[in-house]
C-alpha cells in the first residue's frame, strides 16, 4: 500500500470548528445519533452554552487566549514521536502522538482549558465535572485553580480506589472530590451525579464534561477543543514524512481523544481510523453487567445521559454496568458522533481485552521508555494485533492519550507486587 | 377502568378542590405490594397516582427515588410486569406513568404508548425528554389518547414556556425549585410562586419537587396551583417499612400522609377562590408573588382542560 493523498496542512486553532467533517443533518445530530435528552431545567443552560460557543469559537481574541494557555500552561504542541523500537519490532512505521506530555499527563487538559475559558466568559463561578481515571478530574482541578473557580469533581467510588494518586492531585489543587457509590461506582455513575449537581446549581455552575458525550452542544465542543491533537499530528506527519499516515489508532471510552485525533483527518479518505474499545474480560455478559465496555462494537441504539447513541443495555433498556481494567474507558456509552462514524464505516470499531492492554503497557515501557496510561495501552494493544494482519498499512499514528503513572498501583497489584 | 385526567380535574373543580397527585415507584418494595399501596393512597385522598417505572440511571431523581428504583429493579420489576400490574389495579383515579426515555425508546414509543392506554394509563411523564426530542412520543400519545405531560422549570424562559405548553396535555408539571426530586420540608420558596404566576395556561397546574407537607400543599394551592405532587415523602415511608410482615402498618402510614396532605389542600380551597387580584402585575415584584391567584380564577372559569 502506498501513501495517502496529501491535502493542505492546517494551522492550529485559526478556527475551531472547521468544515473538515462530513455533512450532518440538524445541529447536534450525527445521522440518527446525538440530540438533547436532558431535564427541562437544563435546556436553557444548553442554549446559553451553545450561544456562547457559537460566539467565541471564531472570535480571534478567544482563540488567541486559548492558544496561549494551551502553549504556556499546557505545554503544547506535543511531539509526534517516531517509536523506532516498536517500529522495528512490528515492521511498520509507528508514530506516537505524545498527549502524555501535556500538563497533567493526558489530553484532557485541551478541552478543560477551552471550556474553562468559555465558562469564564459566561460569568460562571463554579465548575463541576465527572471523572473516570481521574485524568479529566485532574485537568478540571488544574483549570479550576488557575482560573479561580470553585471546583467539584464526581468520581465513582471504585475509581477513587483504583486511581488514588489522581484523587490526591485534585485535592492538592483545591478541588473537592465527591465519591459516587451508586450503580457500578464508575464513570457512568459519576456523570449521573454531576448532572444532578448541575440541575441543582445550574445558575452559577458550568458542567465541564470531559468527553464527546452528553447533550448537544457538548459532543461538538469537546471534539473541537480536542481536535488540536489531530491538527498538530497532521501537520507534523506531513513535515516528517511528506505524506499522510495509512492509519490512525486511538482508544475510545466516551471517545474524546479518538475524535480529537480523527476529526481533522475525516476528509482524508485514504486514512483508516481505528477506535479501540475496552474489551475487559471479553465481549460477554453476566445478568446485570457487561464484562467489557465495547458499546461501539456490540452495543445497541439507546438514549443515555443526554444523547441518543450506542449503549450497553439489557433486553428491557436498563443500562448495563460496564467493566475494564482501565477506569477511563469503563463506560456503558460512547459519543454520538463516533457512533455515527462507526456506523457509516468511516471509523472502524475494535477492541482489546484487559490482558492485551496490560501486555502493551509493559511492552511500551520496556521498548520505548514510555509508560502509557492503561487507556492508551488499549490503542497500543490493537496496534500489535493489527500490525500482524497488515490492515494498518505502512505508517500509523497512535494517540498516546496519557501517561501511566496513575496506573502503577493497579498494575503492581495485578502483578502481585503489592 | 381508565379515568381521564381532564375529567378528574373537572370533577374536582366542581367541588372547589385542589388535587393531590401521589407518586410511588411501581415494584417497591415488591410488585405484589404495589396494588395495596396505590389503594391506600387513594383511600387517603390521592386524586391521581403517578407510578414510576424504574430505570437504572434516573438523572432527575434524588437519593430517595433512586433507591426506590433500585429496590424495584431488584424485586424484578420491568416494563412488561409494570403494565400487567397497572392493568390489574382497579382504582378510580387517573394513573400516570413516569419513567425515563430509554425504556420508552427501547420498547418503541408507539408500542409503549398503546400499551399504556390498554393498561389504563392516561398520562406519561418523561423527565429527561424535553419537547425538542418528544415528537415521536407526542405523536403516539395523540393517536392513543394518552396525555403527554411536560415539565416547566424556574429556569424555563417565556418563549420556551409557550413551546412546552403547545405540546403539553393532561396537566402542566411545574418544578417548585431547581434540582432533583426529594422531600424538602420548609416554606415554599418564591420561585414556585413566581412560576405559578407567570405560566398562563388552561391546563391544570401541578407543582412538584420538594413538596412533602400539608402546610406546603396548602400554600401552593393558595398560590394558584390546581394540584400538588408528592413523591419522596411517600417513598420515604415505603423505604422505612420494607418488612413484608408489616404491610398493614405501611398502608396505614401512607393513607395517613395522603389524608393529611389532602386536608391541607382542602383548607386552601375556600381562600383561593375568594381573592381576585388585578391583572397586569409584574410577578417579579415581591408584593405580586401571589399573582397566581389570578390564574387560578382563570382556571375556574375555564371549562376544557387540556388536549385530551
Amino acid at each position: 500500500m502506498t501513501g495517502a493523498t496529501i491535502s493542505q496542512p492546517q494551522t492550529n486553532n485559526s478556527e475551531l470548528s472547521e468544515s473538515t467533517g462530513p455533512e450532518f443533518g440538524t445541529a447536534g445530530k450525527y445521522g440518527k445519533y446525538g440530540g438533547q435528552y436532558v431535564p427541562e431545567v437544563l435546556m436553557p443552560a444548553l442554549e446559553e452554552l451553545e450561544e456562547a460557543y457559537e460566539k467565541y469559537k471564531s472570535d480571534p481574541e478567544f482563540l488567541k487566549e486559548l492558544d496561549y494557555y494551551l502553549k504556556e500552561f499546557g505545554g503544547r504542541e506535543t511531539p509526534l514521536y517516531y517509536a523506532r523500537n516498536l517500529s522495528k519490532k512490528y515492521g511498520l512505521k509507528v508514530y506516537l502522538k505524545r498527549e502524555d506530555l501535556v500538563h497533567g499527563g493526558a489530553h484532557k487538559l485541551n478541552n478543560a482549558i477551552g471550556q474553562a475559558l468559555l465558562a469564564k466568559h459566561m460569568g460562571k463561578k463554579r465548575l463541576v465535572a465527572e471523572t473516570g481515571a481521574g485524568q479529566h478530574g485532574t485537568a478540571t482541578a488544574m483549570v479550576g485553580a488557575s482560573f479561580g473557580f470553585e471546583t467539584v469533581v464526581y468520581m465513582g467510588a471504585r475509581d477513587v480506589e483504583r486511581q488514588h494518586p489522581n484523587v490526591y492531585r485534585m485535592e492538592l489543587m483545591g478541588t473537592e472530590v465527591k465519591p459516587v457509590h451508586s450503580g457500578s461506582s464508575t464513570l457512568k455513575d459519576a456523570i449521573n451525579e454531576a448532572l444532578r449537581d448541575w440541575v441543582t446549581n445550574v445558575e452559577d455552575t458550568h458542567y465541564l464534561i470531559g468527553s464527546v458525550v452528553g447533550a448537544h452542544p457538548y459532543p461538538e465542543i469537546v471534539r473541537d477543543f480536542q481536535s488540536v491533537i489531530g491538527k498538530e499530528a497532521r501537520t507534523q506527519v506531513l513535515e516528517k514524512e511528506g505524506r499522510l499516515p495509512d492509519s490512525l489508532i486511538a482508544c475510545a471510552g466516551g471517545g474524546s481523544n479518538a475524535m480529537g485525533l480523527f476529526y481533522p483527518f475525516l476528509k482524508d479518505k485514504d486514512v483508516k481510523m481505528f477506535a479501540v474499545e475496552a474489551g475487559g474480560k471479553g465481549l460477554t455478559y453476566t445478568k446485570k453487567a457487561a464484562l467489557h465496555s465495547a458499546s461501539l462494537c456490540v452495543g445497541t441504539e439507546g438514549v443515555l445521559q443526554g444523547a441518543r447513541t450506542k449503549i450497553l443495555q439489557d433486553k428491557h433498556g436498563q443500562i448495563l454496568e460496564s467493566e475494564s481494567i482501565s477506569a477511563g474507558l469503563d463506560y456503558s456509552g460512547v459519543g454520538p458522533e463516533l457512533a455515527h462514524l462507526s456506523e457509516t464505516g468511516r471509523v472502524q470499531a475494535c477492541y482489546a481485552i484487559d490482558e492485551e492492554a496490560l501486555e502493551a503497557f509493559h511492552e511500551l515501557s520496556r521498548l520505548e521508555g514510555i509508560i502509557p496510561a492503561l487507556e492508551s495501552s488499549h490503542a497500543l494493544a490493537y496496534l500489535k494485533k493489527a500490525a500482524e494482519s497488515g490492515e494498518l498499512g505502512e505508517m500509523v499514528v497512535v494517540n498516546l492519550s496519557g501517561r501511566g503513572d496513575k496506573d502503577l498501583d493497579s498494575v503492581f497489584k495485578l502483578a502481585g507486587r503489592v | 377502568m381508565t379515568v381521564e385526567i381532564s375529567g378528574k380535574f373537572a370533577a374536582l373543580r366542581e367541588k372547589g378542590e385542589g388535587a393531590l397527585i401521589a407518586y410511588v415507584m411501581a415494584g417497591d418494595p415488591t410488585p405484589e405490594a404495589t396494588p395495596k399501596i396505590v389503594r391506600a393512597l387513594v383511600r387517603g385522598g390521592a386524586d391521581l397516582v403517578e407510578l414510576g417505572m424504574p430505570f437504572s440511571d434516573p438523572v432527575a431523581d434524588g437519593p430517595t427515588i433512586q433507591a426506590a428504583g433500585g429496590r424495584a429493579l431488584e424485586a424484578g420489576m420491568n416494563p412488561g410486569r409494570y403494565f400487567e400490574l397497572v392493568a390489574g389495579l382497579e382504582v378510580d383515579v387517573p394513573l400516570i406513568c413516569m419513567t425515563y426515555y430509554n425504556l420508552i425508546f427501547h420498547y418503541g414509543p408507539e408500542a409503549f404508548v398503546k400499551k399504556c392506554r390498554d393498561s389504563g394509563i392516561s398520562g406519561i411523564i418523561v423527565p429527561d425528554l424535553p419537547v425538542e426530542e418528544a415528537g415521536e412520543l407526542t405523536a403516539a400519545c395523540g393517536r392513543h389518547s394518552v396525555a403527554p405531560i411536560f415539565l416547566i422549570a424556574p429556569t424555563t424562559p417565556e418563549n420556551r414556556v409557550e413551546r412546552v405548553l403547545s405540546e403539553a396535555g393532561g396537566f402542566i408539571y411545574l418544578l417548585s425549585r431547581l434540582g432533583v426530586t426529594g422531600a424538602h420540608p420548609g416554606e415554599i420558596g418564591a420561585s414556585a410562586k413566581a412560576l405559578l404566576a407567570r405560566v398562563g395556561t388552561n391546563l391544570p397546574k401541578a407543582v412538584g419537587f420538594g413538596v412533602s407537607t400539608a402546610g406546603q400543599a396548602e400554600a401552593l394551592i393558595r398560590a394558584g396551583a390546581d394540584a400538588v405532587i408528592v413523591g419522596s415523602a411517600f417513598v420515604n415511608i415505603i423505604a422505612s417499612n420494607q418488612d413484608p410482615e408489616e404491610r398493614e402498618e405501611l398502608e396505614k402510614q401512607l393513607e395517613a400522609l395522603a389524608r393529611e396532605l389532602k386536608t391541607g389542600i382542602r383548607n386552601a380551597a375556600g381562600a383561593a377562590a375568594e381573592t381576585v387580584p388585578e391583572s397586569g402585575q409584574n410577578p417579579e415584584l415581591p408584593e405580586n408573588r401571589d399573582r397566581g391567584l389570578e390564574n387560578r380564577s382563570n382556571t375556574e372559569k375555564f371549562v376544557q382542560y387540556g388536549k385530551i
Side-chain angles (χ1 to χ4, degrees):
Chain A
M1 163 150 194
T2 56
T5 31
I6 302 168
S7 44
Q8 285 305 302
Q10 295 151 347
T11 53
N12 296 341
N13 296 331
S14 55
E15 203 187 323
L16 270 170
S17 191
E18 298 164 46
S19 53
T20 41
E23 296 303 320
F24 293 127
T26 48
K29 302 270 182 185
Y30 308 97
K32 59 187 170 183
Y33 298 115
Q36 295 182 304
Y37 297 84
V38 295
E40 173 61 29
V41 175
L42 297 180
M43 290 301 290
L46 291 176
E47 220 166 281
E48 180 194 5
L49 179 61
E50 187 176 356
E51 272 168 29
Y53 184 62
E54 285 305 314
K55 178 177 166 195
Y56 290 113
K57 75 177 186 188
S58 51
D59 173 12
E61 281 305 305
F62 179 86
L63 296 174
K64 213 171 112 186
E65 204 180 2
L66 175 63
D67 276 341
Y68 171 82
Y69 285 107
L70 284 175
K71 178 169 184 253
E72 304 290 339
F73 186 65
R76 301 206 73 93
E77 67 177 30
T78 61
L80 183 73
Y81 179 66
Y82 178 63
R84 61 184 194 287
N85 300 321
L86 267 191
S87 298
K88 196 171 159 197
K89 180 159 183 194
Y90 295 158
L92 79 171
K93 281 186 166 172
V94 179
Y95 281 96
L96 301 176
K97 182 56 178 165
R98 297 290 308 275
E99 294 298 298
D100 60 316
L101 295 177
V102 175
H103 175 38
H107 72 293
K108 291 294 184 186
L109 185 68
N110 304 330
N111 166 56
I113 290 177
Q115 283 198 49
L117 290 174
L118 270 183
K120 199 179 75 169
H121 285 292
M122 287 191 292
K124 302 290 181 182
K125 306 276 177 258
R126 187 170 170 270
L127 299 177
V128 292
E130 82 295 341
T131 197
Q135 290 304 107
H136 174 58
T138 300
T140 305
M142 294 183 327
V143 296
S146 171
F147 295 109
F149 291 101
E150 179 195 339
T151 308
V152 174
V153 169
Y154 291 91
M155 186 168 187
R158 184 170 167 221
D159 294 338
V160 166
E161 203 174 304
R162 58 180 164 169
Q163 307 277 232
H164 217 84
N166 273 338
V167 177
Y168 292 143
R169 293 209 292 172
M170 288 184 267
E171 288 175 348
L172 276 173
M173 290 181 280
T175 285
E176 185 185 354
V177 180
K178 292 194 178 176
V180 177
H181 294 275
S182 57
S184 51
S185 305
T186 57
L187 181 55
K188 165 177 78 78
D189 313 290
I191 295 178
N192 286 342
E193 224 34 58
L195 279 168
R196 291 183 185 117
D197 182 310
W198 198 31
V199 164
T200 310
N201 302 296
V202 63
E203 284 163 323
D204 70 343
T205 299
H206 174 68
Y207 179 15
L208 206 165
I209 204 163
S211 192
V212 288
V213 300
H216 174 71
Y218 279 109
E220 179 186 331
I221 290 179
V222 179
R223 175 203 70 200
D224 287 351
F225 285 136
Q226 289 296 359
S227 65
V228 66
I229 302 171
K231 287 176 195 165
E232 283 180 8
R234 199 172 179 285
T235 307
Q236 290 165 322
V237 76
L238 288 175
E239 273 169 12
K240 288 175 199 288
E241 294 283 342
R243 72 169 182 99
L244 292 172
D246 300 311
S247 299
L248 306 174
I249 304 180
C251 63
S256 75
N257 90 79
M259 282 310 302
L261 176 65
F262 297 166
Y263 191 67
F265 289 90
L266 281 180
K267 281 196 169 165
D268 302 315
K269 296 294 179 207
D270 296 330
V271 179
K272 293 192 209 171
M273 300 173 179
F274 299 86
V276 189
E277 299 192 286
K281 296 188 165 62
L283 301 190
T284 54
Y285 301 84
T286 64
K287 196 177 165 223
K288 274 182 64 183
L291 293 180
H292 58 85
S293 311
S295 30
L296 280 179
C297 289
V298 292
T300 51
E301 215 182 303
V303 172
L304 176 65
Q305 295 172 332
R308 182 167 166 180
T309 185
K310 290 190 88 174
I311 61 177
L312 302 175
Q313 56 188 332
D314 73 6
K315 62 180 177 184
H316 300 299
Q318 304 293 354
I319 310 305
L320 290 169
E321 292 171 9
S322 55
E323 174 146 344
S324 169
I325 192 177
S326 137
L329 302 182
D330 195 345
Y331 182 53
S332 317
V334 65
E337 187 171 14
L338 204 50
H340 173 70
L341 291 171
S342 149
E343 200 157 282
T344 60
R346 182 67 190 93
V347 169
Q348 196 169 319
C350 44
Y351 68 95
I353 62 169
D354 287 351
E355 217 171 291
E356 295 166 329
L358 260 179
E359 223 172 90
F361 176 92
H362 288 291
E363 184 164 82
L364 191 75
S365 303
R366 276 194 308 265
L367 280 181
E368 298 288 354
I370 299 170
I371 302 171
L374 280 175
E375 289 74 24
S376 325
S377 299
H378 286 71
L380 294 162
Y382 190 74
L383 165 72
K384 185 174 180 177
K385 287 203 277 190
E388 287 164 16
S389 73
E391 64 179 320
L392 300 176
E394 291 161 6
M395 194 214 312
V396 58
V397 173
V398 180
N399 198 1
L400 194 62
S401 56
R403 68 176 187 228
D405 308 45
K406 68 185 175 60
D407 297 311
L408 297 185
D409 275 2
S410 304
V411 171
F412 277 30
K413 232 177 242 172
L414 283 167
R417 296 272 294 272
V418 242
Chain B
M1 177 166 54
T2 308
V3 183
E4 301 303 337
I5 297 169
S6 54
K8 187 68 185 185
F9 274 100
L12 285 167
R13 196 175 52 252
E14 290 281 306
K15 292 197 276 179
E17 242 178 64
L20 170 63
I21 304 177
Y23 170 95
V24 287
M25 180 66 77
D28 171 32
T30 65
E32 294 70 32
T34 300
K36 285 183 177 174
I37 286 172
V38 172
R39 283 195 284 271
L41 294 169
V42 173
R43 276 200 306 277
D47 300 296
L48 298 88
V49 174
E50 273 180 34
L51 276 172
M53 178 188 285
F55 178 55
S56 54
D57 293 77
V59 293
D61 285 306
T64 302
I65 293 178
Q66 283 176 49
R71 290 192 298 268
L73 287 170
E74 200 60 38
M77 186 44 79
N78 61 47
R81 292 192 77 176
Y82 178 94
F83 289 125
E84 275 170 32
L85 186 159
V86 172
L89 272 183
E90 295 181 346
V91 284
D92 60 351
V93 300
L95 298 170
I96 296 154
C97 170
M98 184 157 180
T99 194
Y100 287 84
Y101 194 58
N102 195 52
L103 295 185
I104 299 173
F105 180 84
H106 196 77
Y107 205 98
E110 172 70 22
F112 190 94
V113 174
K114 183 174 186 304
K115 196 72 191 174
C116 279
R117 171 46 62 181
D118 293 347
S119 318
I121 287 166
S122 41
I124 301 183
I125 304 173
V126 191
D128 65 341
L129 190 71
V131 285
E132 281 79 354
E133 304 290 354
E136 236 184 309
L137 186 72
T138 50
C141 281
R143 282 193 290 275
H144 299 287
S145 299
V146 172
I149 296 162
F150 285 96
L151 295 87
I152 291 180
T155 49
T156 308
E158 294 312 316
N159 55 347
R160 277 194 66 79
V161 168
E162 278 166 39
R163 176 147 189 207
V164 174
L165 288 174
S166 73
E167 300 290 336
F171 58 83
I172 192 77
Y173 192 139
L174 303 180
L175 299 192
S176 73
R177 54 168 171 75
L178 299 180
V180 291
T181 58
H184 277 242
E187 265 185 55
I188 289 298
S191 77
K193 293 179 184 173
L195 193 58
L196 275 166
R198 77 181 167 96
V199 174
T201 172
N202 297 324
L203 287 173
K205 294 187 243 180
V207 181
F209 276 44
V211 186
S212 63
T213 68
Q216 292 174 321
E218 184 176 340
L220 285 167
I221 298 293
R222 277 184 201 280
D226 298 292
V228 293
I229 304 169
V230 178
S232 293
F234 289 118
V235 174
N236 275 329
I237 293 178
I238 297 173
S240 47
N241 291 278
Q242 292 277 306
D243 186 350
E245 303 295 311
E246 306 281 329
R247 290 285 190 262
E248 275 179 32
E249 175 59 25
L250 167 62
E251 288 166 39
K252 227 166 72 187
Q253 288 186 28
L254 290 170
E255 186 179 336
L257 177 61
R259 182 158 295 122
E260 199 182 310
L261 289 161
K262 185 65 191 189
T263 305
I265 290 170
R266 285 203 179 102
N267 285 345
E274 281 159 18
T275 329
V276 183
E278 294 165 39
S279 57
Q281 294 168 325
N282 179 358
E284 299 308 317
L285 298 174
E287 67 266 26
N288 293 331
R289 284 227 177 97
D290 283 343
R291 183 169 166 257
L293 298 179
E294 172 203 335
N295 298 61
R296 167 78 185 173
S297 54
N298 286 344
T299 318
E300 304 265 335
K301 280 181 263 166
F302 206 85
V303 188
Q304 233 186 338
Y305 274 112
K307 290 178 162 176
I308 310 293

